[in-house]
Amino acid sequence: MNTKPYQIKKLTILMATVATLCPSKWLMAAMPTAVDSGASGAATSGDWLALLTGYLDKGVDPIAWGIVIMTFIVVAVAVLAKFNEARRNPRPPVGMFGIPGTKTEYAEVWLTAVVGAVILLFVIFIVTQATGII
């Protein structure tokens, strides 16, 4: 799109003029109204506490999904880091003993993956129970 700066200025002035001259009910006609997420009639009756509680009920689920996704990412990074560590550390040659604690075995990778999966399942369980309570 090849728009010149003076065309943008003209459009801005035109939009500001239209917004100033038009009645506000025309401009706000396309705006959505408040959704009644609280108890029945909370938005119309002015019960703002019930309305906020309704929005909180709706907002807890995305927060719970975010917690589960972040837990999955942390577990995946830990398992991949452990796998990379096991891949980079070759076995010591026959007849030579490696320094204890420097070699990461693939059994440690599997152990990290299993413990991570258990932690992830526990977090999913806790978050599911919490969203049911809240």
Side-chain angles (χ1 to χ4, degrees):
M1 187 169 144
N2 192 4
T3 311
K4 308 242 188 256
Y6 65 87
Q7 289 175 334
I8 294 174
K9 287 181 184 178
K10 284 183 181 179
L11 286 175
T12 305
I13 293 171
L14 178 66
M15 287 188 300
T17 306
V18 168
T20 306
L21 297 177
C22 289
S24 63
K25 64 180 178 180
W26 291 357
L27 296 175
M28 301 303 271
M31 298 298 291
T33 58
V35 179
D36 185 13
S37 288
S40 61
T44 57
S45 68
D47 187 7
W48 60 271
L49 190 57
L51 185 66
L52 287 178
T53 304
Y55 279 117
L56 181 67
D57 288 342
K58 302 279 187 202
V60 167
D61 291 337
I63 293 170
W65 275 101
I67 291 170
V68 170
I69 290 170
M70 289 303 297
T71 305
F72 175 77
I73 290 171
V74 168
V75 167
V77 166
V79 170
L80 288 174
K82 191 61 84 169
F83 173 76
N84 192 30
E85 190 178 322
R87 185 183 58 84
R88 286 182 177 232
N89 294 331
R91 291 191 173 190
V94 176
M96 297 182 65
F97 297 103
I99 300 171
T102 59
K103 171 85 174 87
T104 301
E105 300 287 335
Y106 283 100
E108 291 180 44
V109 177
W110 283 106
L111 180 66
T112 305
V114 169
V115 169
V118 168
I119 290 172
L120 184 61
L121 289 173
F122 181 70
V123 168
I124 290 172
F125 173 74
I126 293 295
V127 164
T128 305
Q129 294 298 318
T131 55
I133 293 170
I134 298 174

